[in-house]
Every structure is written in C-alpha cells, then in structure tokens.
Amino acid sequence: MKNNQSIILLLLLTAISCKTIDKKIESKNAINIQWTTDLKGDFSFKENWNYKEGIYKNSHGQLSCDGSCPVAIDRMKDNTGKIYKDSLQAFYKLIDTTHVYHSLKSENRMYEYSGTDYIDFKKLKNGTIKGESQSNVSTHSNLILELINDSCSASVYFNSIRDLGINTFPLKSGTIKIDKALFESGIIKAVFDFEFVNTLETDNQLYWKGNIYSKIITE
C-alpha cells in the first residue's frame, strides 16, 4: 500500500515538474516591448516600393505578368508578349499593378533566405497583433511576431523546398523597441534584434534584426 502511495506521489511530482518546465520553455518565446517616443533609426526604406511579385515591364514598356497569372490574359498578348491595345483596359482589371511600399529592412542568418522587403500585421479579434514577413520564390523563412499588451513573442517558420521539412525556430533572446504614439495610431514602427534556437544545427547560430514600418490591418 505504501509502495502504491509512493508511486502516485512520484507521478504527481513528475507531472508538476513537467508543467513547470513547459511554462519556462514557453516564456522564453516572449520578451517585454520597450515602448519609446520618437523612435530613432533609418526608416527611409518605407518610401521605396515595388509591384507585386510577378509584375514586370515587358520589352514593349508595358506592365505585364509572369508566373501565377490569370489564364485569361494569355489571349490578350501577341506572340512577342505585347498586350493588344484594345485589351489594355481589360488586362489591367485582371492584373494588380498597385505600388507596394516596403515595410521591412533587415538582415539575418536563416535557411533558404534571399531577402524580403515586406512584413504584414493584422489585429485579430482577440486583440492580438500578429505580424508575418512575406516569402517569395527563393525565401522560405518567415519572421512571425505576436504583440499582446506589453509582450512580444517571436519565432521563425521555415518551410524548406529541399529535404529539411517544416521547422519552427523559437526565440532565444532579443529586444524590440516600438514607437508608442504611432502604434496607437495603427502603425508598427520598430527596431528589433533577435536570436533564435536552431533546432536543425545547434552549432549554427540564427539571428534576425532590422527595422519595421508597417500598418496594422484590423480583421
């Protein structure tokens, strides 16, 4: 009987210990936001813009589309890629030629990363503000941020096109400074410097640092 009680007590202590460890591990993913007024730094990148991925100028000086494009536009071009004059209006109703302004300037050491100029933020119904950097043809690592009150959690989502699979690199340490006044008006202006746990190669340090200037979209 005493042995059974000892075993039950040991199991309870183990369970409590595991829960405590889990909480400590989760807490490492979050850091305190350093709120500032008139945040300093080079944010001139926000004046730069590109067309959406796949939009380019063809040899005839026309904006056209390459890659993931509506099939219907193929009938609007001749064999040299020139858009027929009488099809221009219909063509640009199908193709988005909006100027997309840069919202991210950063540097990092990540897997399958060639660069990105964009990070999007959404305010979810529960009040959490979630940000995610955009991927592209040659960039498959995404910076994920979640802002809740005075706390910021960060991780990197890596979806390999090779044989490395899907991985999430949790935050190891770091800092983030955010302009309070702009935040309250719906804009994330921030400077960040993060280090991440490399779950693939423990000897290979992963980091991501830079500046953000991005509007918050409400769901």
Side-chain angles (χ1 to χ4, degrees):
M1 186 69 176
K2 287 184 178 179
N3 287 338
N4 289 339
Q5 290 177 340
S6 298
I7 292 171
I8 291 170
L9 181 60
L10 181 61
L11 289 172
L12 286 171
L13 289 173
T14 302
I16 292 169
S17 176
C18 288
K19 286 182 179 179
T20 303
I21 291 169
D22 287 343
K23 286 182 180 178
K24 286 181 180 177
I25 291 172
E26 289 172 2
S27 68
K28 287 183 180 179
N29 293 330
I31 56 175
N32 291 328
I33 297 170
Q34 298 177 32
W35 298 106
T36 68
T37 56
D38 191 24
L39 181 63
K40 302 299 182 183
D42 183 6
F43 293 90
S44 59
F45 61 89
K46 67 185 179 67
E47 306 298 332
N48 301 329
W49 59 267
N50 295 99
Y51 295 111
K52 290 191 173 182
E53 191 169 1
I55 304 300
Y56 72 102
K57 274 194 176 183
N58 61 22
S59 59
H60 305 283
Q62 301 168 316
L63 286 179
S64 191
C65 181
D66 184 28
S68 181
C69 311
V71 177
I73 68 170
D74 292 336
R75 300 190 298 270
M76 302 178 185
K77 298 183 288 185
D78 64 21
N79 58 3
T80 68
K82 183 177 181 179
I83 305 165
Y84 298 118
K85 188 175 181 179
D86 59 0
S87 297
L88 285 172
Q89 189 172 358
F91 188 93
Y92 292 123
K93 284 183 178 179
L94 295 173
I95 300 301
D96 186 357
T97 58
T98 303
H99 293 183
V100 185
Y101 286 87
H102 294 185
S103 51
L104 174 66
K105 183 179 181 181
S106 64
E107 61 178 90
N108 66 33
R109 182 184 292 129
M110 288 292 158
Y111 294 93
E112 296 179 27
Y113 182 87
S114 68
T116 183
D117 297 312
Y118 307 103
I119 185 168
D120 300 317
F121 284 88
K122 289 184 179 180
K123 186 173 184 179
L124 309 182
K125 292 179 181 178
N126 64 3
T128 300
I129 296 173
K130 185 172 183 178
E132 181 173 354
S133 66
Q134 292 184 14
S135 54
N136 52 50
V137 174
S138 55
T139 289
H140 310 119
S141 286
N142 303 79
L143 178 64
I144 310 293
L145 300 178
E146 287 193 1
L147 309 179
I148 306 174
N149 299 323
D150 296 324
S151 176
C152 171
S153 62
S155 61
V156 173
Y157 175 78
F158 170 47
N159 188 359
S160 176
I161 60 169
R162 297 183 292 163
D163 58 352
L164 297 175
I166 295 176
N167 299 271
T168 298
F169 304 127
L171 181 66
K172 182 179 180 181
S173 62
T175 60
I176 183 167
K177 298 178 181 179
I178 300 179
D179 188 294
K180 184 68 171 179
L182 284 175
F183 178 80
E184 291 175 348
S185 67
I187 295 174
I188 301 288
K189 181 183 180 183
V191 176
F192 65 93
D193 189 345
F194 300 137
E195 289 186 10
F196 296 92
V197 178
N198 190 337
T199 55
L200 289 174
E201 301 171 295
T202 55
D203 293 335
N204 187 8
Q205 183 181 349
L206 299 178
Y207 70 87
W208 201 319
K209 59 184 179 180
N211 295 358
I212 294 170
Y213 196 97
S214 179
K215 291 182 178 179
I216 303 170
I217 299 170
T218 303
E219 275 194 339

